[in-house]
Amino acid sequence: MWILPLVGYVGILLGFSFLTLAIASGLYYLSELVEEHTVLAKKLLTRLIYTIIVIQIALTLVDRFPALLSMLSIVSHAVYAGNLRRFPIVKLTDPLFLLSCMLVILNHYLWFRHFSTPPRTPPTADPRYGYNSNRYDRLDVPSFAEIASYFGICVWLVPFSLFVSLSASENILPSMGSEYATGETSGVGVGGAGVGRGKKGGKGLVRVAVDGVREWVVETGEAMGFWRGERTRRF
C-alpha cells in the first residue's frame, strides 16, 4: 500500500495541528481569566503549592519516596511561591524567576531518572517461611498512570500554572511594583505632572507567546505571498 500510509501521515499531522491550536486557545483564555481575577488566582496558587508540599511529605513518609529528591521538590515549590510576592508581575531577568526555570528542568530530569531506573531486587526471605513470604519483600513498581499523575501534579502543575498566570509587563499604570516590572521609576512632579502617560495592562506570558507566534506567521505568509495584509505593498 502506498496511498493509505500517506493519508495516515497527513491525518496525524492535521490532528497534531488541531490539538496544538486547541491547547493554545485554552491557555490564551485561561491567561485572560487570570488577568481579570488576580487576587483569586494568587490565593489558589498559594494553596496549590501548600497542598503539593503536603502530598510530597506524605509520599516520603508513607510510600518511601527518596528523601533527597523529595526535599528538592519541596524546596523547589518554596522557590515557586517566591514568584507570587509581586503577582502577577514578573521580571524575566529576576534571579528567582531564572532559578525557578532551572529547578523545573532539574526536577523533571531527576524524577524521570528515578522512575526509569528499575527497582532493586528484594533480599531473599527466610527459607523457613519461603521466598517472598513477607508482603514487604514484593516489588511494588508504579504503573504508567501513577507516574504520569505524579509528574502532572507534583512536578509540572505549579510551574505550568505560574507560566499561565504571570505577566510580563513593560507599560503599566504607575503603582506599587511598577518599578519592579519596568525597571524604571516614575517621577511625580508638582501638581501631579508625569504621573502616567497612559494605562496599559500587562499581558500574560502565554498571551505574549501566542501573539508573537501569530505575528510571525502573518509576516512570514505575507512575505512569501500566501496572502495580502497591511504590510504588503500593493502595485
Side-chain angles (χ1 to χ4, degrees), residues 61 66 74 110 122 127 187 200:
L61 298 178
I74 293 173
L110 293 179
K200 182 178 180 180

Side-chain angles (χ1 to χ4, degrees), residues 50-73:
Y50 291 154
T51 301
I52 293 178
I53 290 177
V54 172
I55 293 175
Q56 192 66 54
I57 294 175
L59 289 171
T60 306
L61 298 178
V62 178
D63 290 348
R64 305 298 182 183
F65 269 43
L68 292 179
L69 286 180
S70 299
M71 184 60 63
L72 174 63
S73 180

